């Protein structure tokens, strides 16, 4: 075989080897390259509220946790009416929180509400009197404790079952973040002709606390309105707490002076 033909064959073989090698290298690196490309995408501008409240998810304690040594056994535990494992959003600066309390007044000797920042620093702390009957209660922050826009807070609702030892408690913990309404969302709210439309807008955008409080206020005003009862059950079904739909709305707990 002539030398030129040998060189030509060698060149073709070498070229195929290089192509195969490049293809193999590309197939091994394509996944990391995809991840890098995604990580370099621009972040959301923040013009729209999060759709599910999970953009800054934090672990919560929706069901009662803590020492239950002197707390009586109950069929349904202490429960916060919040989305599980998500940050609930709110648009109002003065927040209201809702909790189902299963205990009789003689079983609980006191309660405490605590609001903290993300670094566990106390912002507000107050003792309250437990409700007179089991049911869903609320706790509203005073006007002197407004929530700041785009700040995330954690809150605790505690009940003490031992008059002598305050460490013997049961509690729930949740997270809340206040957001500013965008002009577009404000227009949508103003265009909503029914309470149901407003509630649906809140839920679709993860604004849980505003939805719950607004509907609860209407139920207090019209306790025999079956339509509102159905809306309440539907709302709680969104967070898989439909078992609380029939529990009575007791009202706001009284802060101890």
């Amino acid at each position: 075989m002539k030398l030129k033909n040998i060189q030509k064959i060698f060149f073709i073989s070498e070229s195929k080897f290089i192509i195969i090698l490049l293809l193999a290298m590309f197939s091994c690196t394509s996944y990391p390259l995809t991840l890098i490309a995604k990580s370099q995408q621009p972040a959301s501008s923040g013009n729209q509220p999060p759709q599910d409240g999970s953009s800054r998810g934090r672990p919560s304690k929706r069901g009662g946790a803590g020492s239950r040594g002197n707390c009586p056994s109950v069929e349904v535990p202490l429960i916060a009416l919040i989305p599980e494992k998500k940050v609930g959003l709110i648009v109002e600066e003065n927040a209201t929180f809702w909790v189902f309390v299963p205990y009789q007044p003689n079983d609980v000797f006191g309660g405490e509400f605590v609001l903290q920042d993300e670094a566990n620093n106390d912002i507000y702390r107050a003792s309250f009197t437990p409700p007179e009957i089991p049911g869903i209660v609320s706790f509203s922050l005073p006007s002197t404790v407004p929530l700041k826009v785009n700040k995330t807070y954690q809150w605790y609702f505690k009940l003490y079952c031992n008059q002598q030892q305050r460490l013997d408690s049961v509690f729930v913990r949740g997270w809340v973040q206040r957001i500013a309404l965008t002009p577009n969302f404000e227009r949508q709210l103003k265009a909503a002709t029914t309470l149901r439309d407003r509630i649906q807008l809140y839920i679709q955008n993860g604004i849980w606390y505003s939805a719950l409080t607004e509907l609860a206020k209407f139920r207090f005003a019209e306790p025999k309105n079956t339509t509102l009862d159905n809306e309440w059950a539907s709302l709680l079904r969104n967070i898989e707490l439909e078992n609380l739909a029939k529990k009575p709305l007791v009202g706001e707990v009284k802060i101890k002076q």
Side-chain angles (χ1 to χ4, degrees):
M1 185 179 295
K2 293 183 180 180
L3 179 60
K4 289 184 177 181
N5 290 337
I6 293 174
Q7 291 175 334
K8 183 177 181 181
I9 292 172
F10 177 78
F11 176 77
I12 294 173
S13 300
E14 186 179 20
S15 300
K16 289 181 177 180
F17 174 76
I18 292 173
I19 292 172
I20 293 172
L21 180 61
L22 289 173
L23 287 173
M25 291 175 63
F26 179 77
S27 65
C28 291
T29 59
S30 60
Y31 181 66
L33 287 173
T34 302
L35 290 180
I36 293 172
K38 287 184 177 180
S39 68
Q40 291 176 344
Q41 291 178 351
S44 171
S45 62
N47 290 331
Q48 294 295 332
Q51 295 300 306
D52 61 359
S54 61
S55 63
R56 302 188 66 189
R58 303 288 191 276
S60 61
K61 292 284 187 183
R62 186 169 77 170
S67 173
R68 299 191 183 94
N70 286 304
C71 294
S73 59
V74 287
E75 183 178 349
V76 181
L78 182 74
I79 297 179
L81 275 62
I82 57 174
E84 196 164 24
K85 299 179 181 179
K86 291 184 179 180
V87 175
L89 304 181
I90 191 171
V91 296
E92 298 85 8
E93 66 175 14
N94 298 118
T96 298
F97 307 90
W98 299 84
V99 178
F100 170 69
V101 176
Y103 304 111
Q104 297 291 337
N106 292 337
D107 297 327
V108 183
F109 296 95
E112 187 176 34
F113 183 91
V114 183
L115 183 72
Q116 296 180 333
D117 61 19
E118 291 186 272
N120 301 321
N121 298 310
D122 279 9
I123 295 175
Y124 177 74
R125 185 181 290 262
S127 297
F128 61 83
T129 302
E132 296 181 356
I133 61 171
I136 297 172
V137 303
S138 64
F139 186 98
S140 297
L141 293 175
S143 58
T144 54
V145 188
L147 300 183
K148 296 181 180 179
V149 174
N150 296 329
K151 294 292 184 181
T152 304
Y153 303 85
Q154 58 182 327
W155 59 273
Y156 293 83
F157 184 99
K158 302 179 181 181
L159 294 175
Y160 297 102
C161 301
N162 188 327
Q163 193 172 16
Q164 306 300 324
Q165 184 181 357
R166 288 178 62 83
L167 293 177
D168 194 6
S169 67
V170 60
F171 71 90
V172 291
R173 180 183 70 183
W175 292 85
V176 60
Q177 181 187 33
R178 185 186 170 202
I179 61 170
L181 288 179
T182 64
N184 181 54
F185 191 72
E186 277 194 291
R187 286 193 293 270
Q188 289 179 319
L189 283 177
K190 290 179 180 179
T193 56
T194 66
L195 172 64
R196 184 176 188 179
D197 290 340
R198 288 178 60 85
I199 298 300
Q200 286 301 314
L201 281 173
Y202 283 136
I203 293 300
Q204 289 167 8
N205 289 277
I207 308 175
W208 172 256
Y209 289 94
S210 299
L212 185 66
T213 298
E214 185 163 336
L215 183 54
K217 287 180 178 179
F218 275 93
R219 286 198 72 213
F220 272 120
E222 302 179 42
K224 296 182 179 181
N225 189 323
T226 57
T227 299
L228 293 178
D229 290 343
N230 293 333
E231 294 297 333
W232 181 256
S234 177
L235 183 63
L236 294 184
R237 195 175 300 119
N238 276 284
I239 56 171
E240 300 180 349
L241 288 180
E242 58 268 28
N243 61 314
L244 300 181
K246 300 292 186 180
K247 301 297 183 182
L249 284 175
V250 177
E252 192 164 3
V253 294
K254 297 179 180 178
I255 298 177
K256 293 182 179 179
Q257 301 299 326

